[in-house]
Amino acid sequence: MVRVTVAGIPVWVDAGRLLGPGEWEEDASGGWSALLDRRQAADVQARLRGWGIGGTPLVTTVVPPLKRPLVRQARADEAVRRRARTPGFLRRGTRLDREGQVSLTPEALAMTMAERVAGLSVVDATAGAGGNAIAFARHDCRVVAIEPQAERRRLLEHNARLYGVRDRIQIVAGRAPNDLPKPADLLFIDVPWGTEYDPNRVVLDDLPLLADILQATSHWPRVWAKLPPSFDVTTLAGTPEAWFGVAPGDRQRVKFIVIEVAREVSG
C-alpha cells in the first residue's frame, strides 16, 4: 500500500467522484489522501496528471514513489479508457463539423442542463451545430439560436429537424453580442475553446468573445457560461458547477464547468 495525496480540488467539485475508490479523507489544508494499492495509485496519478480544475493545478503525490513501469502502464491504460467518452448526439443521422466534434455538449449532459430551465425562453449566443439549443427545445424552451457561420446553421437546422424541434428554435444568422435579441429568461454562452487551451489555467482574458458578450448583456437577468475545466473561476463572478461525463472513459473526469454568472437584480 502507498499513501496518495491530491491537492488543488475546489470545494465545489465532487472529490469522491473525481478521485474514485478508496477511503479518501480531507486534511486541514484541503487536500485529500488515502491508502491505495500501487495499481490504484498509478491509475489516480495517470488520470489527474497535467490537469487543473477551476484555475488550480491538481497535484498528486505518492509515497513511496511508484516504479516507472507501473506508471507507464497506467498512462497507457488511461489513454485507452479515454476513448470511451460520453457521446455528443445519440440519434443516428446527425451531422457535425470538426469544431462540433470537439466542442459539442454531450447529449446526456445537455439534456440534464436543459431540464433545469424547462419551459423558459433561452438565447443560445453561440449555437454551433445545436447540441444545447436542441436540448433546450426538447424541454419545451423557446430558443433563439445565434450562429454566424452558414454551414453550421445548416447543421443546426438539420439536427433540429432530426430531433423534431425545428419549430421551437429560431435560428439567427448573426454574431453575438451584436445580434442578440431582447433579453430572455436565460442567456447561454459556449464560446469555442477547442483543444489547445491551457489544461492548468484559463482566465477570462483568454476568451475575449465571452468577455464581449458578458459586457454587452449586463442587464440580462440570468446567464450560464460553459467553460473549460481549467477556467479560473476567480476571474468571473458567479456560481461554478463541475460537469462530469457519464461514459466509462470520462465518468471520473470533469468535462467542463458551467458558471451561473452573478447579476445584480434591480428593484
Side-chain angles (χ1 to χ4, degrees):
M1 303 291 282
V2 295
R3 171 69 61 181
V4 180
T5 302
V6 179
I9 303 175
V11 296
W12 41 269
V13 173
D14 183 344
R17 181 166 180 177
L18 181 71
L19 296 170
E23 297 295 326
W24 293 94
E25 296 182 349
E26 188 175 12
D27 60 31
S29 65
W32 293 81
S33 65
L35 284 173
L36 304 177
D37 65 44
R38 283 176 164 75
R39 183 173 295 279
Q40 287 177 315
D43 286 344
V44 171
Q45 191 176 59
R47 185 159 42 80
L48 303 183
R49 173 175 173 262
W51 286 91
I53 300 177
T56 303
L58 299 177
V59 179
T60 304
T61 305
V62 181
V63 179
L66 301 170
K67 294 183 178 180
R68 289 183 179 179
L70 184 58
V71 172
R72 286 196 295 267
Q73 184 59 52
R75 291 178 182 175
D77 293 343
E78 174 62 14
V80 172
R81 277 194 297 269
R82 289 187 189 180
R83 297 173 188 169
R85 297 176 297 179
T86 305
F89 287 125
L90 297 176
R91 194 161 297 184
R92 293 175 62 89
T94 52
R95 298 173 186 168
L96 294 172
D97 59 3
R98 177 170 291 185
E99 175 65 33
Q101 292 170 354
V102 172
S103 65
L104 189 84
T105 303
E107 183 173 318
L109 305 186
M111 289 293 285
T112 299
M113 198 182 305
E115 185 177 12
R116 298 180 180 182
V117 291
L120 301 183
S121 59
V122 178
V123 172
D124 186 339
T126 50
N132 288 98
I134 290 169
F136 288 128
R138 290 173 71 188
H139 279 283
D140 297 320
C141 293
R142 303 174 302 283
V143 183
V144 176
I146 300 172
E147 173 52 50
Q149 295 191 26
E151 178 56 31
R152 288 183 185 160
R153 291 196 301 273
R154 285 191 286 269
L155 295 175
L156 169 55
E157 181 164 7
H158 168 83
N159 295 332
R161 290 188 185 283
L162 193 67
Y163 277 92
V165 293
R166 177 64 185 88
D167 60 335
R168 298 181 203 160
I169 302 176
Q170 178 186 350
I171 301 175
V172 174
R175 184 182 300 275
N178 296 334
D179 298 302
L180 288 170
K182 65 181 181 180
D185 295 320
L186 174 70
L187 174 64
F188 180 77
I189 313 169
D190 180 12
V191 299
W193 28 276
T195 59
E196 301 302 320
Y197 68 91
D198 186 336
N200 281 296
R201 184 171 183 262
V202 174
V203 298
L204 183 58
D205 286 346
D206 296 325
L207 303 171
L209 177 57
L210 173 62
D212 289 347
I213 296 173
L214 290 174
Q215 184 176 16
T217 57
S218 59
H219 59 295
W220 287 56
R222 191 175 185 186
V223 177
W224 287 353
K226 178 189 165 194
L227 299 158
S230 60
F231 184 83
D232 187 340
V233 299
T234 67
T235 66
L236 179 59
T239 304
E241 181 179 1
W243 287 74
F244 290 81
V246 296
D250 55 16
R251 187 175 291 121
Q252 294 173 272
R253 180 174 295 280
V254 176
K255 301 285 287 182
F256 53 84
I257 293 170
V258 173
I259 294 182
E260 179 151 357
V261 181
R263 296 296 197 190
E264 293 185 4
V265 180
S266 61

